[in-house]
Amino acid sequence: MAIYENLYFAPSGRHWKKIGIKKKAGILVPLFSVHSLQSAGTGDFFDLKLLVDLCVKTKSTILQILPLNYAGFDNCPYNAISSFAIDPVYISISNFSYRGKTFSQHTIKSLQSHYLSGRDNRCDYRVRDEKLKLLRWIFEDNFDEVCSDSEFFHFTKLTQYWLDDFAIYQVLKKLHNGAAWCQWEKPFAQNSTEKIDKIMFSYKNEILFHKWVQFICYNQLCEAKEYAKEKNVFLMGDLPVLPSRDSADVWSK
């Protein structure tokens, strides 16, 4: 123990003081593969709570999950289109709530029946698009409330250093039929200020939608994190080793 106490004086010492230096054991899982009766297609943020409960039952104190970054065309968590954005495939529709707005049981059951979790032991990433359609309905139906949501705009200010570029990148990617940014029209590929300003004006609501989706992802993940904290389970993440070439990070730089 005396040897490990030297960690307290390392550059990362404040973090070691926070988690302690006792030996710990835990569980490592990819969230997309953990399905429950309430999820659809893949595991979601609500399933994180179930995993925390499993940790408690097995006396594990660490729950490590593979990267939750917004995956690219191959749905690989290590080939993300952003080093910061969370993949909306993990949003829990059955436990969704925004300013009192929820989805009906009919909508939830319909989603689950079309994207049955665990069917053939495979994940169905097509559910991402279906979740985004449902979220867009909430966003558009409650647009005025979104625009007056102080918590949401506080989130956008805190994350502006990456969120602005990511939201614009998503719009441009859709306009170019999902092609990699290096295949876009030259002014867009080179991030021309004049062209980007026009996109920001013409697609301001679409850009706002992508930011709002990240806000929903963040809130649901934070809720799961707080649940883990209450149960004395450390929630440990993972990150891609390097940014993908076709990512908002590389495009914006």
Side-chain angles (χ1 to χ4, degrees):
M1 184 65 72
I3 297 175
Y4 294 131
E5 286 179 353
N6 290 328
L7 292 170
Y8 289 146
F9 304 100
S12 57
R14 64 186 181 89
H15 300 296
W16 285 108
K17 290 177 181 178
K18 182 178 179 182
I19 66 175
I21 55 177
K22 290 183 178 180
K23 291 184 178 179
K24 298 178 175 66
I27 298 172
L28 168 63
V29 294
L31 181 57
F32 53 76
S33 67
V34 182
H35 310 123
S36 74
L37 294 176
Q38 295 200 49
S39 54
T42 69
D44 60 36
F45 288 126
F46 176 79
D47 295 327
L48 267 181
K49 295 183 179 181
L50 302 181
L51 286 170
V52 169
D53 292 339
L54 176 63
C55 285
V56 173
K57 288 183 178 181
T58 58
K59 301 187 184 304
S60 300
T61 55
I62 298 176
L63 173 58
Q64 182 175 1
I65 49 180
L66 265 57
L68 300 176
N69 300 70
Y70 207 134
F73 71 95
D74 56 0
N75 292 312
C76 174
Y78 292 96
N79 185 28
I81 60 175
S82 171
S83 297
F84 304 93
I86 302 172
D87 199 326
V89 76
Y90 298 117
I91 290 177
S92 173
I93 295 299
S94 59
N95 292 273
F96 172 88
S97 178
Y98 178 72
R99 293 202 160 193
K101 308 298 190 302
T102 59
F103 293 108
S104 68
Q105 284 300 309
H106 173 75
T107 298
I108 295 170
K109 294 299 182 185
S110 177
L111 183 71
Q112 291 173 333
S113 65
H114 282 88
Y115 299 92
L116 182 64
S117 294
R119 176 181 291 162
D120 298 326
N121 295 316
R122 297 179 67 86
C123 300
D124 195 337
Y125 285 96
R126 292 176 301 174
V127 75
R128 180 194 292 116
D129 289 337
E130 295 303 316
K131 288 184 177 182
L132 287 173
K133 287 178 184 178
L134 294 176
L135 291 168
R136 189 179 295 278
W137 175 75
I138 291 286
F139 174 80
E140 293 177 351
D141 202 47
N142 300 276
F143 186 74
D144 291 340
E145 287 191 56
V146 172
C147 291
S148 62
D149 188 342
S150 59
E151 290 185 14
F152 168 50
F153 282 97
H154 179 65
F155 168 80
T156 62
K157 287 182 179 180
L158 288 177
T159 58
Q160 186 176 16
Y161 64 96
W162 66 266
L163 186 60
D164 286 356
D165 289 331
F166 170 74
I168 296 168
Y169 167 87
Q170 284 289 75
V171 170
L172 288 172
K173 198 167 184 63
K174 184 176 181 179
L175 290 174
H176 290 87
N177 298 314
W181 66 264
C182 52
Q183 298 174 348
W184 297 352
E185 298 173 59
K186 191 173 181 179
F188 293 120
Q190 295 182 346
N191 207 347
S192 165
T193 301
E194 181 181 354
K195 288 289 186 179
I196 297 303
D197 285 345
K198 289 181 179 179
I199 290 294
M200 290 175 64
F201 177 78
S202 300
Y203 294 89
K204 56 185 177 182
N205 288 357
E206 183 71 9
I207 290 172
L208 191 67
F209 171 70
H210 288 292
K211 293 181 178 182
W212 181 76
V213 169
Q214 287 304 303
F215 176 63
I216 299 300
C217 289
Y218 173 78
N219 283 340
Q220 287 202 355
L221 179 56
C222 283
E223 184 179 332
K225 182 177 181 293
E226 285 302 310
Y227 184 80
K229 185 178 179 180
E230 292 171 5
K231 300 290 186 176
N232 295 313
V233 174
F234 287 104
L235 190 58
M236 181 177 175
D238 192 6
L239 292 170
V241 178
L242 295 170
S244 299
R245 185 187 185 194
D246 184 22
S247 65
D249 313 286
V250 175
W251 167 76
S252 64
K253 303 304 178 188

PDB file of all heavy atoms in Angstrom, residues 132-156:
ATOM      1  N   LEU A 132     -33.909   8.713 -33.803  1.00  0.00           N
ATOM      2  CA  LEU A 132     -33.757  10.103 -34.218  1.00  0.00           C
ATOM      3  C   LEU A 132     -35.056  10.659 -34.805  1.00  0.00           C
ATOM      4  O   LEU A 132     -35.376  11.839 -34.619  1.00  0.00           O
ATOM      5  CB  LEU A 132     -32.617  10.231 -35.235  1.00  0.00           C
ATOM      6  CG  LEU A 132     -31.206  10.079 -34.661  1.00  0.00           C
ATOM      7  CD1 LEU A 132     -30.170  10.052 -35.779  1.00  0.00           C
ATOM      8  CD2 LEU A 132     -30.898  11.209 -33.688  1.00  0.00           C
ATOM      9  N   LYS A 133     -35.825   9.812 -35.481  1.00  0.00           N
ATOM     10  CA  LYS A 133     -37.128  10.243 -35.998  1.00  0.00           C
ATOM     11  C   LYS A 133     -38.074  10.599 -34.850  1.00  0.00           C
ATOM     12  O   LYS A 133     -38.790  11.614 -34.897  1.00  0.00           O
ATOM     13  CB  LYS A 133     -37.755   9.141 -36.854  1.00  0.00           C
ATOM     14  CG  LYS A 133     -37.096   8.945 -38.207  1.00  0.00           C
ATOM     15  CD  LYS A 133     -37.749   7.803 -38.967  1.00  0.00           C
ATOM     16  CE  LYS A 133     -37.038   7.533 -40.281  1.00  0.00           C
ATOM     17  NZ  LYS A 133     -37.648   6.375 -41.009  1.00  0.00           N
ATOM     18  N   LEU A 134     -38.086   9.770 -33.815  1.00  0.00           N
ATOM     19  CA  LEU A 134     -38.932  10.030 -32.655  1.00  0.00           C
ATOM     20  C   LEU A 134     -38.483  11.290 -31.919  1.00  0.00           C
ATOM     21  O   LEU A 134     -39.308  12.106 -31.489  1.00  0.00           O
ATOM     22  CB  LEU A 134     -38.904   8.827 -31.699  1.00  0.00           C
ATOM     23  CG  LEU A 134     -39.530   7.539 -32.217  1.00  0.00           C
ATOM     24  CD1 LEU A 134     -39.341   6.402 -31.206  1.00  0.00           C
ATOM     25  CD2 LEU A 134     -41.022   7.743 -32.491  1.00  0.00           C
ATOM     26  N   LEU A 135     -37.176  11.456 -31.793  1.00  0.00           N
ATOM     27  CA  LEU A 135     -36.645  12.644 -31.123  1.00  0.00           C
ATOM     28  C   LEU A 135     -36.938  13.905 -31.926  1.00  0.00           C
ATOM     29  O   LEU A 135     -37.223  14.962 -31.351  1.00  0.00           O
ATOM     30  CB  LEU A 135     -35.137  12.493 -30.917  1.00  0.00           C
ATOM     31  CG  LEU A 135     -34.712  11.443 -29.895  1.00  0.00           C
ATOM     32  CD1 LEU A 135     -33.216  11.180 -29.987  1.00  0.00           C
ATOM     33  CD2 LEU A 135     -35.082  11.873 -28.485  1.00  0.00           C
ATOM     34  N   ARG A 136     -36.883  13.792 -33.237  1.00  0.00           N
ATOM     35  CA  ARG A 136     -37.193  14.944 -34.079  1.00  0.00           C
ATOM     36  C   ARG A 136     -38.649  15.367 -33.899  1.00  0.00           C
ATOM     37  O   ARG A 136     -38.965  16.561 -33.903  1.00  0.00           O
ATOM     38  CB  ARG A 136     -36.924  14.628 -35.554  1.00  0.00           C
ATOM     39  CG  ARG A 136     -37.011  15.851 -36.455  1.00  0.00           C
ATOM     40  CD  ARG A 136     -36.707  15.470 -37.897  1.00  0.00           C
ATOM     41  NE  ARG A 136     -35.341  15.020 -38.064  1.00  0.00           N
ATOM     42  CZ  ARG A 136     -34.300  15.845 -38.201  1.00  0.00           C
ATOM     43  NH1 ARG A 136     -34.485  17.151 -38.195  1.00  0.00           N
ATOM     44  NH2 ARG A 136     -33.084  15.355 -38.363  1.00  0.00           N
ATOM     45  N   TRP A 137     -39.525  14.403 -33.726  1.00  0.00           N
ATOM     46  CA  TRP A 137     -40.936  14.712 -33.499  1.00  0.00           C
ATOM     47  C   TRP A 137     -41.107  15.504 -32.195  1.00  0.00           C
ATOM     48  O   TRP A 137     -41.829  16.497 -32.152  1.00  0.00           O
ATOM     49  CB  TRP A 137     -41.733  13.409 -33.435  1.00  0.00           C
ATOM     50  CG  TRP A 137     -43.173  13.612 -33.079  1.00  0.00           C
ATOM     51  CD1 TRP A 137     -44.163  14.094 -33.872  1.00  0.00           C
ATOM     52  CD2 TRP A 137     -43.772  13.355 -31.798  1.00  0.00           C
ATOM     53  NE1 TRP A 137     -45.344  14.156 -33.172  1.00  0.00           N
ATOM     54  CE2 TRP A 137     -45.144  13.710 -31.902  1.00  0.00           C
ATOM     55  CE3 TRP A 137     -43.289  12.855 -30.590  1.00  0.00           C
ATOM     56  CZ2 TRP A 137     -46.014  13.582 -30.836  1.00  0.00           C
ATOM     57  CZ3 TRP A 137     -44.165  12.738 -29.528  1.00  0.00           C
ATOM     58  CH2 TRP A 137     -45.505  13.094 -29.646  1.00  0.00           C
ATOM     59  N   ILE A 138     -40.430  15.092 -31.130  1.00  0.00           N
ATOM     60  CA  ILE A 138     -40.476  15.813 -29.867  1.00  0.00           C
ATOM     61  C   ILE A 138     -39.879  17.209 -30.039  1.00  0.00           C
ATOM     62  O   ILE A 138     -40.435  18.213 -29.557  1.00  0.00           O
ATOM     63  CB  ILE A 138     -39.699  15.053 -28.770  1.00  0.00           C
ATOM     64  CG1 ILE A 138     -40.430  13.759 -28.389  1.00  0.00           C
ATOM     65  CG2 ILE A 138     -39.492  15.925 -27.540  1.00  0.00           C
ATOM     66  CD1 ILE A 138     -41.672  13.947 -27.564  1.00  0.00           C
ATOM     67  N   PHE A 139     -38.748  17.281 -30.734  1.00  0.00           N
ATOM     68  CA  PHE A 139     -38.044  18.553 -30.943  1.00  0.00           C
ATOM     69  C   PHE A 139     -38.919  19.549 -31.694  1.00  0.00           C
ATOM     70  O   PHE A 139     -39.065  20.711 -31.276  1.00  0.00           O
ATOM     71  CB  PHE A 139     -36.758  18.283 -31.722  1.00  0.00           C
ATOM     72  CG  PHE A 139     -35.995  19.507 -32.124  1.00  0.00           C
ATOM     73  CD1 PHE A 139     -35.172  20.163 -31.214  1.00  0.00           C
ATOM     74  CD2 PHE A 139     -36.085  20.003 -33.427  1.00  0.00           C
ATOM     75  CE1 PHE A 139     -34.457  21.298 -31.592  1.00  0.00           C
ATOM     76  CE2 PHE A 139     -35.372  21.134 -33.810  1.00  0.00           C
ATOM     77  CZ  PHE A 139     -34.562  21.783 -32.891  1.00  0.00           C
ATOM     78  N   GLU A 140     -39.514  19.126 -32.787  1.00  0.00           N
ATOM     79  CA  GLU A 140     -40.317  20.027 -33.607  1.00  0.00           C
ATOM     80  C   GLU A 140     -41.633  20.388 -32.938  1.00  0.00           C
ATOM     81  O   GLU A 140     -42.109  21.528 -33.050  1.00  0.00           O
ATOM     82  CB  GLU A 140     -40.571  19.390 -34.976  1.00  0.00           C
ATOM     83  CG  GLU A 140     -39.302  19.251 -35.811  1.00  0.00           C
ATOM     84  CD  GLU A 140     -39.539  18.557 -37.134  1.00  0.00           C
ATOM     85  OE1 GLU A 140     -40.671  18.017 -37.330  1.00  0.00           O
ATOM     86  OE2 GLU A 140     -38.608  18.526 -37.973  1.00  0.00           O
ATOM     87  N   ASP A 141     -42.214  19.430 -32.221  1.00  0.00           N
ATOM     88  CA  ASP A 141     -43.492  19.676 -31.560  1.00  0.00           C
ATOM     89  C   ASP A 141     -43.337  20.590 -30.344  1.00  0.00           C
ATOM     90  O   ASP A 141     -44.320  21.177 -29.881  1.00  0.00           O
ATOM     91  CB  ASP A 141     -44.123  18.340 -31.132  1.00  0.00           C
ATOM     92  CG  ASP A 141     -45.623  18.442 -30.943  1.00  0.00           C
ATOM     93  OD1 ASP A 141     -46.287  19.011 -31.833  1.00  0.00           O
ATOM     94  OD2 ASP A 141     -46.127  17.953 -29.919  1.00  0.00           O
ATOM     95  N   ASN A 142     -42.126  20.682 -29.828  1.00  0.00           N
ATOM     96  CA  ASN A 142     -41.876  21.504 -28.643  1.00  0.00           C
ATOM     97  C   ASN A 142     -40.752  22.506 -28.907  1.00  0.00           C
ATOM     98  O   ASN A 142     -39.972  22.838 -28.012  1.00  0.00           O
ATOM     99  CB  ASN A 142     -41.494  20.606 -27.457  1.00  0.00           C
ATOM    100  CG  ASN A 142     -42.582  19.610 -27.099  1.00  0.00           C
ATOM    101  OD1 ASN A 142     -43.513  19.907 -26.377  1.00  0.00           O
ATOM    102  ND2 ASN A 142     -42.454  18.404 -27.638  1.00  0.00           N
ATOM    103  N   PHE A 143     -40.709  23.001 -30.148  1.00  0.00           N
ATOM    104  CA  PHE A 143     -39.607  23.852 -30.574  1.00  0.00           C
ATOM    105  C   PHE A 143     -39.472  25.108 -29.709  1.00  0.00           C
ATOM    106  O   PHE A 143     -38.356  25.508 -29.344  1.00  0.00           O
ATOM    107  CB  PHE A 143     -39.784  24.244 -32.040  1.00  0.00           C
ATOM    108  CG  PHE A 143     -38.622  25.000 -32.606  1.00  0.00           C
ATOM    109  CD1 PHE A 143     -37.432  24.359 -32.906  1.00  0.00           C
ATOM    110  CD2 PHE A 143     -38.724  26.372 -32.822  1.00  0.00           C
ATOM    111  CE1 PHE A 143     -36.352  25.065 -33.418  1.00  0.00           C
ATOM    112  CE2 PHE A 143     -37.647  27.086 -33.330  1.00  0.00           C
ATOM    113  CZ  PHE A 143     -36.456  26.431 -33.639  1.00  0.00           C
ATOM    114  N   ASP A 144     -40.589  25.736 -29.388  1.00  0.00           N
ATOM    115  CA  ASP A 144     -40.531  26.960 -28.584  1.00  0.00           C
ATOM    116  C   ASP A 144     -39.941  26.689 -27.198  1.00  0.00           C
ATOM    117  O   ASP A 144     -39.176  27.505 -26.668  1.00  0.00           O
ATOM    118  CB  ASP A 144     -41.921  27.578 -28.434  1.00  0.00           C
ATOM    119  CG  ASP A 144     -42.436  28.153 -29.743  1.00  0.00           C
ATOM    120  OD1 ASP A 144     -41.601  28.419 -30.640  1.00  0.00           O
ATOM    121  OD2 ASP A 144     -43.658  28.336 -29.885  1.00  0.00           O
ATOM    122  N   GLU A 145     -40.285  25.543 -26.632  1.00  0.00           N
ATOM    123  CA  GLU A 145     -39.749  25.190 -25.318  1.00  0.00           C
ATOM    124  C   GLU A 145     -38.249  24.915 -25.403  1.00  0.00           C
ATOM    125  O   GLU A 145     -37.491  25.269 -24.497  1.00  0.00           O
ATOM    126  CB  GLU A 145     -40.473  23.962 -24.750  1.00  0.00           C
ATOM    127  CG  GLU A 145     -41.893  24.247 -24.282  1.00  0.00           C
ATOM    128  CD  GLU A 145     -42.468  23.087 -23.493  1.00  0.00           C
ATOM    129  OE1 GLU A 145     -41.842  22.688 -22.490  1.00  0.00           O
ATOM    130  OE2 GLU A 145     -43.528  22.579 -23.897  1.00  0.00           O
ATOM    131  N   VAL A 146     -37.829  24.277 -26.484  1.00  0.00           N
ATOM    132  CA  VAL A 146     -36.396  24.013 -26.668  1.00  0.00           C
ATOM    133  C   VAL A 146     -35.631  25.326 -26.751  1.00  0.00           C
ATOM    134  O   VAL A 146     -34.581  25.498 -26.125  1.00  0.00           O
ATOM    135  CB  VAL A 146     -36.153  23.187 -27.952  1.00  0.00           C
ATOM    136  CG1 VAL A 146     -34.660  23.078 -28.247  1.00  0.00           C
ATOM    137  CG2 VAL A 146     -36.758  21.789 -27.813  1.00  0.00           C
ATOM    138  N   CYS A 147     -36.181  26.276 -27.512  1.00  0.00           N
ATOM    139  CA  CYS A 147     -35.514  27.570 -27.701  1.00  0.00           C
ATOM    140  C   CYS A 147     -35.464  28.406 -26.422  1.00  0.00           C
ATOM    141  O   CYS A 147     -34.662  29.338 -26.328  1.00  0.00           O
ATOM    142  CB  CYS A 147     -36.218  28.364 -28.806  1.00  0.00           C
ATOM    143  SG  CYS A 147     -36.000  27.643 -30.455  1.00  0.00           S
ATOM    144  N   SER A 148     -36.313  28.083 -25.455  1.00  0.00           N
ATOM    145  CA  SER A 148     -36.319  28.836 -24.198  1.00  0.00           C
ATOM    146  C   SER A 148     -35.739  28.030 -23.040  1.00  0.00           C
ATOM    147  O   SER A 148     -35.823  28.443 -21.883  1.00  0.00           O
ATOM    148  CB  SER A 148     -37.758  29.262 -23.851  1.00  0.00           C
ATOM    149  OG  SER A 148     -38.591  28.120 -23.650  1.00  0.00           O
ATOM    150  N   ASP A 149     -35.139  26.890 -23.364  1.00  0.00           N
ATOM    151  CA  ASP A 149     -34.586  26.004 -22.341  1.00  0.00           C
ATOM    152  C   ASP A 149     -33.198  26.499 -21.910  1.00  0.00           C
ATOM    153  O   ASP A 149     -32.208  26.298 -22.618  1.00  0.00           O
ATOM    154  CB  ASP A 149     -34.495  24.574 -22.892  1.00  0.00           C
ATOM    155  CG  ASP A 149     -34.114  23.556 -21.844  1.00  0.00           C
ATOM    156  OD1 ASP A 149     -33.600  23.948 -20.783  1.00  0.00           O
ATOM    157  OD2 ASP A 149     -34.316  22.349 -22.086  1.00  0.00           O
ATOM    158  N   SER A 150     -33.124  27.116 -20.757  1.00  0.00           N
ATOM    159  CA  SER A 150     -31.860  27.678 -20.278  1.00  0.00           C
ATOM    160  C   SER A 150     -30.817  26.595 -20.013  1.00  0.00           C
ATOM    161  O   SER A 150     -29.615  26.808 -20.238  1.00  0.00           O
ATOM    162  CB  SER A 150     -32.089  28.508 -19.009  1.00  0.00           C
ATOM    163  OG  SER A 150     -32.668  27.716 -17.986  1.00  0.00           O
ATOM    164  N   GLU A 151     -31.244  25.418 -19.530  1.00  0.00           N
ATOM    165  CA  GLU A 151     -30.303  24.325 -19.272  1.00  0.00           C
ATOM    166  C   GLU A 151     -29.669  23.840 -20.574  1.00  0.00           C
ATOM    167  O   GLU A 151     -28.464  23.543 -20.632  1.00  0.00           O
ATOM    168  CB  GLU A 151     -31.005  23.162 -18.570  1.00  0.00           C
ATOM    169  CG  GLU A 151     -31.407  23.469 -17.139  1.00  0.00           C
ATOM    170  CD  GLU A 151     -31.983  22.246 -16.455  1.00  0.00           C
ATOM    171  OE1 GLU A 151     -31.817  21.136 -16.991  1.00  0.00           O
ATOM    172  OE2 GLU A 151     -32.590  22.409 -15.394  1.00  0.00           O
ATOM    173  N   PHE A 152     -30.476  23.765 -21.615  1.00  0.00           N
ATOM    174  CA  PHE A 152     -29.972  23.339 -22.912  1.00  0.00           C
ATOM    175  C   PHE A 152     -28.931  24.323 -23.437  1.00  0.00           C
ATOM    176  O   PHE A 152     -27.840  23.926 -23.872  1.00  0.00           O
ATOM    177  CB  PHE A 152     -31.127  23.193 -23.904  1.00  0.00           C
ATOM    178  CG  PHE A 152     -30.711  23.036 -25.342  1.00  0.00           C
ATOM    179  CD1 PHE A 152     -29.748  22.102 -25.709  1.00  0.00           C
ATOM    180  CD2 PHE A 152     -31.276  23.830 -26.334  1.00  0.00           C
ATOM    181  CE1 PHE A 152     -29.359  21.958 -27.040  1.00  0.00           C
ATOM    182  CE2 PHE A 152     -30.896  23.688 -27.660  1.00  0.00           C
ATOM    183  CZ  PHE A 152     -29.929  22.760 -28.006  1.00  0.00           C
ATOM    184  N   PHE A 153     -29.227  25.597 -23.378  1.00  0.00           N
ATOM    185  CA  PHE A 153     -28.298  26.581 -23.921  1.00  0.00           C
ATOM    186  C   PHE A 153     -27.062  26.743 -23.034  1.00  0.00           C
ATOM    187  O   PHE A 153     -25.992  27.105 -23.524  1.00  0.00           O
ATOM    188  CB  PHE A 153     -29.007  27.912 -24.161  1.00  0.00           C
ATOM    189  CG  PHE A 153     -29.844  27.895 -25.410  1.00  0.00           C
ATOM    190  CD1 PHE A 153     -31.205  27.647 -25.362  1.00  0.00           C
ATOM    191  CD2 PHE A 153     -29.251  28.054 -26.661  1.00  0.00           C
ATOM    192  CE1 PHE A 153     -31.963  27.584 -26.514  1.00  0.00           C
ATOM    193  CE2 PHE A 153     -30.000  27.985 -27.818  1.00  0.00           C
ATOM    194  CZ  PHE A 153     -31.366  27.760 -27.755  1.00  0.00           C
ATOM    195  N   HIS A 154     -27.186  26.439 -21.766  1.00  0.00           N
ATOM    196  CA  HIS A 154     -25.999  26.397 -20.911  1.00  0.00           C
ATOM    197  C   HIS A 154     -25.094  25.259 -21.360  1.00  0.00           C
ATOM    198  O   HIS A 154     -23.866  25.413 -21.421  1.00  0.00           O
ATOM    199  CB  HIS A 154     -26.413  26.205 -19.446  1.00  0.00           C
ATOM    200  CG  HIS A 154     -25.261  26.119 -18.494  1.00  0.00           C
ATOM    201  ND1 HIS A 154     -24.396  27.160 -18.266  1.00  0.00           N
ATOM    202  CD2 HIS A 154     -24.818  25.078 -17.717  1.00  0.00           C
ATOM    203  CE1 HIS A 154     -23.469  26.786 -17.397  1.00  0.00           C
ATOM    204  NE2 HIS A 154     -23.701  25.537 -17.051  1.00  0.00           N
ATOM    205  N   PHE A 155     -25.705  24.129 -21.704  1.00  0.00           N
ATOM    206  CA  PHE A 155     -24.955  22.980 -22.215  1.00  0.00           C
ATOM    207  C   PHE A 155     -24.245  23.334 -23.518  1.00  0.00           C
ATOM    208  O   PHE A 155     -23.069  22.986 -23.704  1.00  0.00           O
ATOM    209  CB  PHE A 155     -25.914  21.806 -22.434  1.00  0.00           C
ATOM    210  CG  PHE A 155     -25.332  20.659 -23.207  1.00  0.00           C
ATOM    211  CD1 PHE A 155     -24.503  19.733 -22.594  1.00  0.00           C
ATOM    212  CD2 PHE A 155     -25.625  20.494 -24.556  1.00  0.00           C
ATOM    213  CE1 PHE A 155     -23.959  18.671 -23.310  1.00  0.00           C
ATOM    214  CE2 PHE A 155     -25.096  19.436 -25.279  1.00  0.00           C
ATOM    215  CZ  PHE A 155     -24.258  18.523 -24.655  1.00  0.00           C
ATOM    216  N   THR A 156     -24.929  24.037 -24.419  1.00  0.00           N
ATOM    217  CA  THR A 156     -24.311  24.383 -25.706  1.00  0.00           C
ATOM    218  C   THR A 156     -23.120  25.328 -25.525  1.00  0.00           C
ATOM    219  O   THR A 156     -22.152  25.269 -26.291  1.00  0.00           O
ATOM    220  CB  THR A 156     -25.328  25.031 -26.667  1.00  0.00           C
ATOM    221  OG1 THR A 156     -25.818  26.263 -26.109  1.00  0.00           O
ATOM    222  CG2 THR A 156     -26.492  24.086 -26.936  1.00  0.00           C
TER     223      THR A 156
END
